[in-house]
Amino acid sequence: EGNRHGLASRAHRPGLESPRPFNDEFLDFVDKMEQVLDAVLERFETNYLVIFEKLDSLLATAEPAPAYASALRQNFPRNQAVAHYFFSRTSAAWIGPLIAENFFTAPPPALVDEDGPTVQFPSWPESEYLVRIAAQAPQAVAAAVLAMPDTDNSRVSHDIIQIAMAVSPEVASGMIPKVVDGLDSSFGVLIPQAAGELLVHLCDGGHVDQALDLAVALLRQLPAGDGWQPGGDAYGYGVILREHVPALVAAAGAPALELLSRSLDEVLRADAERRDSQPGQDGSPLWRPNIDGGESRPESDLRDGLVDAVRDAAASIVRSGQGGVADVVKELESHGWLIFRRVALNLLAQHVGEAGDLVAARCAISKPS
């Protein structure tokens, strides 16, 4: 204060005085400031290059000891540039020392703009590294994933799904609780159909219970009908119902049908509450006039996708011998909505010869003697 060369006096002028003159004294001041910046920035540049030279030296280590990971933590800036440079180049040999130094325990959170409806999901070089080396060190990578705290960063959650896809179904099955946590987080996952591919991966490996747990979490997020969830990916969930759920039905049978039926029931109940309609009246003759499908329907309403999934699951279970017609019809008719009775009748129409009593009872006629 009081220094004629001070920056405060140059940044502000008292009252409404005229701007200071553009003269030699001002030009001399600007020149001196540029000299200071030149010196400071040159030192920054030198230090920056030295940092990456030291990183290259670490990366050249074929068999890193724990001390190397400790040096990485203690002697280098913890910023995105350094992390990206190192983790995009380092080998699977580093995974043990990095886990020991807790490099995978601080995923970045989602960045929510409090002044607007936007959110950013920062990339995390550490999880991207785990994706890259997952096939080379599956057990160690799975241990790193399980030690991670929960995060609302959908990009990190997507990386975890990619890791589970890169390892064997057996190893992936142990990671499903972490995948489910990502699905249930504030913003879900970036690409739902990636989780659907993981569903198939688990079924192919015979891990049906974990596949069912994953399917429960996926269907819990279904953006169906008027209940469209903000940011919901209707296309992605449509892919899951069409291309991935059949693998679950083939592997799990009746429990998969029960899950799909329960999901459709919940969607219809929520829709009926919004419309204040009568119990059991789902309006399906209007939005689904033909159970066999064929109509052009908008992807934003996944009720139709669920109807297709329930219909095809019921037919598949009977066709494969996983369940009898009577049991499947009983499951369908345990739900009080009209669409389920229509799906049950559609199934019975395909199995009249083996389910004559069921057909007769529903047609209110006596079976011929």
Side-chain angles (χ1 to χ4, degrees):
E1 187 175 356
N3 180 359
R4 68 185 184 89
H5 299 296
L7 297 181
S9 62
R10 292 183 178 274
H12 307 280
R13 54 193 175 97
L16 297 177
E17 291 182 2
S18 300
R20 285 176 290 276
F22 185 81
N23 53 23
D24 291 341
E25 188 271 338
F26 176 76
L27 291 174
D28 180 65
F29 171 78
V30 171
D31 181 63
K32 287 184 172 62
M33 287 300 302
E34 289 181 343
Q35 291 179 44
V36 170
L37 290 174
D38 284 341
V40 172
L41 295 176
E42 183 177 357
R43 181 63 62 85
F44 270 116
E45 183 178 6
T46 300
N47 289 344
Y48 187 82
L49 294 175
V50 168
I51 286 171
F52 285 92
E53 288 174 358
K54 291 181 178 179
L55 282 175
D56 286 335
S57 178
L58 280 180
L59 289 167
T61 306
E63 297 182 3
Y68 286 87
S70 178
L72 179 64
R73 175 175 290 282
Q74 300 296 332
N75 301 334
F76 291 86
R78 299 298 301 276
N79 58 43
Q80 192 77 351
V82 169
H84 176 75
Y85 189 91
F86 180 83
F87 285 103
S88 65
R89 292 166 173 79
T90 193
S91 69
W94 278 82
I95 182 65
L98 291 171
I99 290 176
E101 283 295 319
N102 298 316
F103 269 90
F104 306 104
T105 58
L111 302 178
V112 181
D113 184 356
E114 300 296 341
D115 297 325
T118 60
V119 60
Q120 299 179 48
F121 304 114
S123 63
W124 193 31
E126 286 88 335
S127 61
E128 293 172 351
Y129 162 71
L130 294 176
V131 174
R132 183 165 57 83
I133 70 161
Q136 302 172 56
Q139 296 291 349
V141 168
V145 169
L146 294 175
M148 289 180 191
D150 295 341
T151 177
D152 62 354
N153 187 331
S154 297
R155 190 179 298 273
V156 175
S157 297
H158 178 69
D159 287 343
I160 292 173
I161 292 173
Q162 294 298 100
I163 291 166
M165 283 295 299
V167 301
S168 69
E170 181 179 3
V171 175
S173 66
M175 298 168 55
I176 296 307
K178 188 63 66 176
V179 174
V180 169
D181 287 341
L183 286 165
D184 289 339
S185 66
S186 301
F187 306 106
V189 295
L190 288 177
I191 306 175
Q193 58 265 45
E197 293 171 0
L198 177 57
L199 186 72
V200 177
H201 186 52
L202 292 167
C203 290
D204 289 345
H207 296 276
V208 178
D209 290 341
Q210 290 78 13
L212 284 168
D213 290 342
L214 177 57
V216 169
L218 278 167
L219 292 176
R220 193 159 50 229
Q221 306 300 327
L222 193 72
D226 296 331
W228 178 281
Q229 298 175 5
D233 185 347
Y235 172 79
Y237 282 96
V239 170
I240 291 169
L241 291 172
R242 292 191 304 272
E243 301 180 13
H244 304 142
V245 162
L248 178 68
V249 175
L257 175 61
E258 293 169 8
L259 172 60
L260 291 166
S261 298
R262 185 165 63 249
S263 181
L264 177 57
D265 190 308
E266 291 170 355
V267 167
L268 295 174
R269 182 178 295 106
D271 185 57
E273 289 175 355
R274 284 189 295 271
R275 293 186 291 105
D276 196 25
S277 61
Q278 296 297 318
Q281 298 303 312
D282 51 30
S284 61
L286 296 176
W287 55 264
R288 186 61 184 248
N290 185 354
I291 295 300
D292 286 329
E295 303 89 1
S296 177
R297 301 184 294 269
E299 289 185 344
S300 59
D301 188 342
L302 290 178
R303 290 175 301 182
D304 280 307
L306 276 171
V307 171
D308 288 346
V310 169
R311 177 201 65 200
D312 294 345
S316 174
I317 289 170
V318 173
R319 185 171 57 248
S320 66
Q322 292 173 297
V325 176
D327 290 335
V328 172
V329 168
K330 181 179 179 181
E331 164 60 30
L332 293 172
E333 293 184 343
S334 68
H335 302 273
W337 302 99
L338 176 61
I339 190 67
F340 285 98
R341 297 199 299 276
R342 296 175 63 207
V343 172
L345 290 172
N346 180 268
L347 179 67
L348 288 171
Q350 301 171 38
H351 298 276
V352 174
E354 59 192 281
D357 291 340
L358 297 174
V359 173
R362 282 149 187 79
C363 294
I365 60 174
S366 300
K367 183 178 178 181
S369 59

